[in-house]
Amino acid sequence: MEILTLVAPVFGARCSVVVGPSRSCVVVDVGAGAGEQVRALVEREGLRPRAVLATHGHADHTWDAPAVAAAYDVPVVLHAADAHRLADPFGTLGLLDPRHDPHGPLAQALAAAGVDVASWQPPARVEPFGAVGVDRSADVELVWDDVRLVARHAPGHTEGSTLYLVDAGDAAPVVLSGDVLFAGSIGRTDLPGGDDATMAATLRDVVAALPADAVVLPGHGPATDMRTELAHNPYLQRPR
């Protein structure tokens, strides 16, 4: 499978398009301002979107998801523990909500991208997977035509944060890590639904167990790989 990357103008959120041999695809994390880029890419590459996925429910990863899903009559798919965020993605951000802080960083980024906070409409079709109320649920295989991903629950940044694992054939596997793991860092845990202890358990039991040769495409910032992160990311260092 092929993975094409777009970058949303709000907070530089990564949008990944996973493409199968038949040109069916799924779109992961359609952040604020990424929708037009997705539509242009689909037309240019002759793709057939089958679903819009989210690594978690924060607005910078989901804002354009309903519009893209509606354009191709496909569902928005994410972990059940984060599905509630799609009703009000800003309301689940606590003090970062631009309606509470109209001059804060998110409000400024949205304004610069021409995003109207009042224009949000929830997606018409949401297909959650996994279970609510557990620290970590079992892997879920997601298949559309010849596009296959494994969803691995990785809470801590939010309750439903998810890693999507993509089998790249003869190449190293690819992990779409959302805001769980960044190059040299991890996602914040101080927003509603975040939890330090849960994130620590996720890093120990889920992230550190990923294949060492896995390529990691985070929700923000540069790509990395697990061998580098295990050796140098301070949040993955175990006491010696």
Side-chain angles (χ1 to χ4, degrees), residues 30-227:
V30 192
E36 287 302 321
Q37 296 183 63
V38 170
R39 287 188 278 270
L41 177 69
V42 166
E43 181 176 354
R44 185 173 68 248
E45 299 290 334
L47 306 180
R48 294 189 300 277
R50 297 306 192 211
V52 173
L53 279 61
T55 57
H56 62 293
H58 282 160
D60 57 327
H61 294 260
T62 62
W63 185 265
D64 281 5
V68 170
Y72 301 106
D73 190 24
V74 299
V76 175
V77 178
L78 78 171
H79 195 279
D82 261 27
H84 70 282
R85 298 178 185 279
L86 295 181
D88 183 7
F90 288 128
T92 60
L93 285 174
L95 294 178
L96 196 59
D97 185 337
R99 296 168 298 189
H100 293 311
D101 186 3
H103 303 293
L106 181 55
Q108 292 183 11
L110 291 166
V115 177
D116 178 7
V117 174
S119 67
W120 172 257
Q121 294 291 328
R125 294 168 57 196
V126 179
E127 294 184 0
F129 59 84
V132 179
V134 296
D135 287 340
R136 281 179 297 281
S137 49
D139 286 357
V140 176
E141 185 177 52
L142 302 172
V143 180
W144 294 271
D145 299 337
D146 55 0
V147 180
R148 174 186 173 274
L149 296 85
V150 172
R152 184 163 295 172
H153 191 200
H157 177 64
T158 65
E159 308 95 324
S161 287
T162 299
L163 308 178
Y164 291 113
L165 283 63
V166 182
D167 184 350
D170 294 336
V174 177
V175 180
L176 309 180
S177 65
D179 286 4
V180 175
L181 180 68
F182 303 133
S185 190
I186 60 171
R188 61 193 294 178
T189 57
D190 60 334
L191 297 175
D195 184 81
D196 284 338
T198 303
M199 177 66 94
T202 285
L203 295 173
R204 180 189 68 238
D205 300 335
V206 179
V207 174
L210 292 167
D213 64 339
V215 174
V216 178
L217 301 182
H220 305 269
T224 183
D225 61 79
M226 282 306 303
R227 184 171 285 108

Side-chain angles (χ1 to χ4, degrees), residues 8-54:
V10 175
F11 289 172
R14 183 189 304 272
C15 175
S16 299
V17 182
V18 183
V19 184
S22 70
R23 309 309 282 170
S24 290
C25 70
V26 297
V27 187
V28 184
D29 283 357
V30 192
E36 287 302 321
Q37 296 183 63
V38 170
R39 287 188 278 270
L41 177 69
V42 166
E43 181 176 354
R44 185 173 68 248
E45 299 290 334
L47 306 180
R48 294 189 300 277
R50 297 306 192 211
V52 173
L53 279 61

